[in-house]
Amino acid sequence: MPWRLLRFALSSKHPEPRMFTRHDTLKPTYDVVIIGAGGHGLAAAYYLARDHGITNICVLEKGYLGGGNTGRNTTIIRSNYLTPEGVKFYDESVRLWQDLSQDFDLNLFYSNRGHFTLAHTDAAMRTSRWRAEVNKHYGIESEVVGPEFVKKTAPMIDLACGGAPILGGLYHAPGAVARHDTVAWGYGRGADLRGVEIHQRTEVTGIDVVGGKVVGVQTSKGRIATTKVLCAVAGSTPRILKMIDVRSPLYIHPLQAMVSEPIKPWLDTILVSGSLHIYISQSSRGELVMGASLDPYEVQSTRSTLDFPEGLAAHMLDMFPFLSNVKVMRQWAGMADMTPDFAPIMGKTPVEGFYLDAGWGTWGFKATPVCGKTMSWTVANDRNHELITGFTLDRFRDYALTGEKGAASVGH
Amino acid sequence: MKIMTCPVNGPRAITEFAYGGEIRPMPNPNTASDDQWADYIFNRNGAPGMKREWWCHTPSNTWFVAERDTERDLIMRTYLYMGEA
Ligand SMILES: Cc1cc2nc3c(=O)[nH]c(=O)nc-3n(C[C@H](O)[C@H](O)[C@H](O)COP(=O)(O)OP(=O)(O)OC[C@H]3O[C@@H](n4cnc5c(N)ncnc54)[C@H](O)[C@@H]3O)c2cc1C
């Protein structure tokens, strides 16, 4: 055993600096309280400290850092959305991803793969053309391709797909994957180094509102006084909104995923099929990372089911029959916070000092950097950042939805 | 496989059923304000709890009511809709 490792066994104290400072008690007051130490909450903390000079912040996490949807997602990053609001927003995110590894001095394994949204019907081809035009208008690389190009990029594919042949699809060259945990760790460590306190195993149990303004937060470790709260808790958002009596269209369904045993590299690109309800990529460790559509009914827990791998595997074999002997290694679920128009809900709320970053459903990992940027700006200036004005909670009251469903990865 | 009991056909696999959402009273469209109507069509009670929901047994097209604990994923009771009490 190398001496470096032995030191850890022999020393009663941890002989090297920890990745995160441990805080045993909460201070009585913070300038900003962030609920949820997922990628979104930690990114907001990081940019508040780095770009806005606000460091008297605590991030409260009921479980462990990155243990929510951040650590459960299939890590697909892309900007080929359908609405101008969405396209501009996700494009900024993809730009921010590029130098995050440098920013953090931590390898995010950001891997540019190219991304296919396969079309098996004329209707799906039409949506592909529509998205390609919107994307190109905003300078984003997206094009409609035919089946030959798909076959050339993914030679193992069976274009016949068990009776629903691939007619072509939308190809988005910037499509990428990244290592999800590291994103939370990188933002968390960057925030920690700048003085932000991260409190794990600390649950928010209530929000004190007086005269329509936030004045404090109740937690499992006591009360904190604050005038600004950022809520970034994904599938737990309706529980928090109930504490402040704010109604929203959010509804929660589990989203499941699974990985195979590691196999030799054979798939370099990311493939999504709306008709077969599947998506697949191969991780740098060789595992196939696979997902499907939402569970069909509301559940607010992270239980998984046998129906899921059965259904997903059946469709996967339509596309890649040669995978029939490959074993599934793990499956899990996250709680997806869904909205009726498949766009997020961000920004100020009817309660002064309460800011929301939610409605990230099945698509919010890619947006982690830009959410941190825009939400930190919004919290610091008490005004919605210009990139998020299409995503406010008011849009439902005003019947002004931001229809992004056509760009959802798989049919929901 | 999870089992749900159809009030007409008895216990069946959950894959035979379609979920229709929580039972919510509709405000009168002629008298509701725009805000009330928007609240009705968009807003949901997304927090966990015991909920009364519409479900349909699809092979027989039987719509009925299920009471579910949405946090523990338990089906407590199913019965045919008899109008609001
Ligand atoms: C299976 C699956 C696959 C996905 N695939 C993709 C994909 O390929 N690409 C993509 O872009 N997106 C994807 N997503 C969506 C993406 O994972 C999420 O939108 C994103 O990670 C949300 O990040 P977050 O930081 O907002 O939330 P989370 O990471 O869920 O963090 C919220 C945190 O809040 C904590 N919390 C909750 N309640 C409280 C409380 N009362 N007090 C304190 N803390 C609390 C939770 O414990 C949690 O750690 C997928 C999601 C799932 C479930």
Side-chain angles (χ1 to χ4, degrees):
Chain A
M1 190 194 291
W3 168 237
R4 269 185 68 223
L5 274 185
L6 207 58
R7 277 191 312 146
F8 287 84
L10 297 178
S11 150
S12 62
K13 278 193 170 155
H14 195 74
E16 271 184 21
R18 292 271 189 187
M19 184 123 177
F20 303 104
T21 316
R22 201 171 126 188
H23 305 278
D24 289 324
T25 50
L26 290 162
K27 290 196 283 185
T29 314
Y30 293 92
D31 293 340
V32 180
V33 171
I34 297 178
I35 316 175
H40 287 219
L42 294 168
Y46 175 85
Y47 292 117
L48 272 170
R50 197 194 76 175
D51 299 352
H52 301 280
I54 301 174
T55 54
N56 184 23
I57 301 175
C58 73
V59 183
L60 305 177
E61 168 55 53
K62 77 170 175 193
Y64 60 96
L65 187 148
N69 289 356
T70 298
R72 298 166 188 267
N73 77 91
T74 45
T75 81
I76 298 173
I77 297 165
R78 62 190 174 93
S79 60
N80 57 353
Y81 278 74
L82 189 56
T83 65
E85 293 87 350
V87 170
K88 281 191 266 183
F89 188 76
Y90 293 107
D91 183 40
E92 175 64 13
S93 209
V94 169
R95 236 177 33 75
L96 288 168
W97 276 106
Q98 306 307 318
D99 37 54
L100 273 191
S101 288
Q102 249 86 31
D103 257 22
F104 296 161
D105 191 20
L106 196 63
N107 191 350
L108 299 186
F109 291 87
Y110 187 90
S111 171
N112 188 189
R113 302 287 189 86
H115 176 281
F116 286 90
T117 310
L118 300 173
H120 306 249
T121 61
D122 287 339
M125 281 305 283
R126 206 156 47 236
T127 309
S128 298
R129 278 193 285 273
W130 178 10
R131 280 168 70 183
E133 290 311 317
V134 175
N135 291 174
K136 280 189 248 178
H137 183 75
Y138 289 99
I140 285 155
E141 279 177 76
S142 263
E143 55 181 320
V144 175
V145 295
E148 318 75 38
F149 185 72
V150 177
K151 183 79 185 169
K152 211 178 104 204
T153 320
M156 309 302 273
I157 203 163
D158 179 359
L159 288 174
C161 277
I166 294 170
L167 306 178
L170 184 68
Y171 178 63
H172 176 52
V177 288
R179 188 168 167 213
H180 45 15
D181 304 313
T182 328
V183 176
W185 301 339
Y187 276 123
R189 187 176 66 173
D192 179 273
L193 288 173
R194 288 169 175 83
V196 171
E197 293 183 8
I198 301 168
H199 292 261
Q200 302 188 67
R201 308 186 68 173
T202 308
E203 180 170 2
V204 169
T205 53
I207 315 253
D208 298 336
V209 178
V210 174
K213 293 183 186 167
V214 168
V215 295
V217 174
Q218 306 282 350
T219 80
S220 54
K221 296 198 179 145
R223 183 181 183 273
I224 312 169
T226 189
T227 54
K228 290 187 173 193
V229 170
L230 168 60
C231 175
V233 298
S236 300
T237 309
R239 302 179 210 219
I240 304 278
L241 290 182
K242 208 169 152 184
M243 297 172 188
I244 55 168
D245 272 329
V246 168
R247 285 176 57 75
S248 85
L250 293 168
Y251 60 99
I252 312 299
H253 285 221
L255 181 67
Q256 304 193 49
M258 67 188 196
V259 293
S260 74
E261 59 189 330
I263 52 182
K264 279 186 184 173
W266 61 273
L267 182 67
D268 187 44
T269 189
I270 305 160
L271 294 169
V272 177
S273 162
S275 301
L276 296 178
H277 304 283
I278 51 174
Y279 47 95
I280 179 171
S281 67
Q282 190 169 21
S283 78
S284 38
R285 282 192 299 241
E287 299 154 339
L288 300 176
V289 182
M290 296 171 278
S293 36
L294 282 178
D295 277 17
Y297 58 94
E298 177 180 35
V299 174
Q300 284 97 350
S301 78
T302 51
R303 64 99 178 96
S304 37
T305 64
L306 178 61
D307 308 8
F308 168 77
E310 278 180 346
L312 173 51
H315 282 137
M316 204 51 83
L317 292 183
D318 282 342
M319 196 184 269
F320 295 113
F322 83 102
L323 291 180
S324 59
N325 287 322
V326 172
K327 292 185 177 57
V328 171
M329 247 196 353
R330 292 191 298 280
Q331 73 170 109
W332 64 91
M335 289 184 279
D337 41 335
M338 304 298 292
T339 62
D341 57 2
F342 284 66
I345 301 178
M346 297 179 78
K348 296 179 57 146
T349 64
V351 174
E352 206 176 305
F354 188 89
Y355 306 88
L356 192 57
D357 174 29
W360 282 109
T362 66
W363 54 84
F365 175 68
K366 65 180 75 59
T368 305
V370 73
C371 286
K373 271 261 176 183
T374 54
M375 287 312 301
S376 62
W377 194 96
T378 301
V379 170
N381 295 288
D382 191 35
R383 228 170 64 221
N384 288 331
H385 186 280
E386 60 175 1
L387 277 177
I388 66 170
T389 52
F391 304 142
T392 57
L393 180 59
D394 297 349
R395 73 178 184 276
F396 299 99
R397 184 202 62 203
D398 300 339
Y399 300 86
L401 273 54
T402 302
E404 203 62 90
K405 189 168 184 177
S409 60
V410 292
H412 287 293
Chain B
M1 179 68 72
K2 210 171 179 60
I3 303 293
M4 187 174 239
T5 303
C6 169
V8 174
N9 301 285
R12 291 284 191 275
I14 192 89
T15 45
E16 289 186 22
F17 296 87
Y19 166 69
E22 198 172 2
I23 298 181
R24 301 175 305 131
M26 182 174 77
N28 182 341
N30 296 315
T31 55
S33 67
D34 283 354
D35 282 8
Q36 284 168 332
W37 191 249
D39 180 63
Y40 169 66
I41 57 174
F42 295 122
N43 288 340
R44 296 290 179 272
N45 164 24
M50 284 291 291
K51 300 196 181 179
R52 288 178 69 228
E53 303 167 330
W54 288 115
W55 281 78
C56 179
H57 179 244
T58 51
S60 63
N61 201 20
T62 310
W63 280 96
F64 61 93
V65 180
E67 290 180 4
R68 266 192 334 120
D69 178 334
T70 63
E71 187 166 18
R72 293 186 298 158
D73 192 15
L74 295 177
I75 301 159
M76 314 306 285
R77 219 150 76 86
T78 54
Y79 47 91
L80 289 175
Y81 186 73
M82 296 296 181
E84 288 298 336

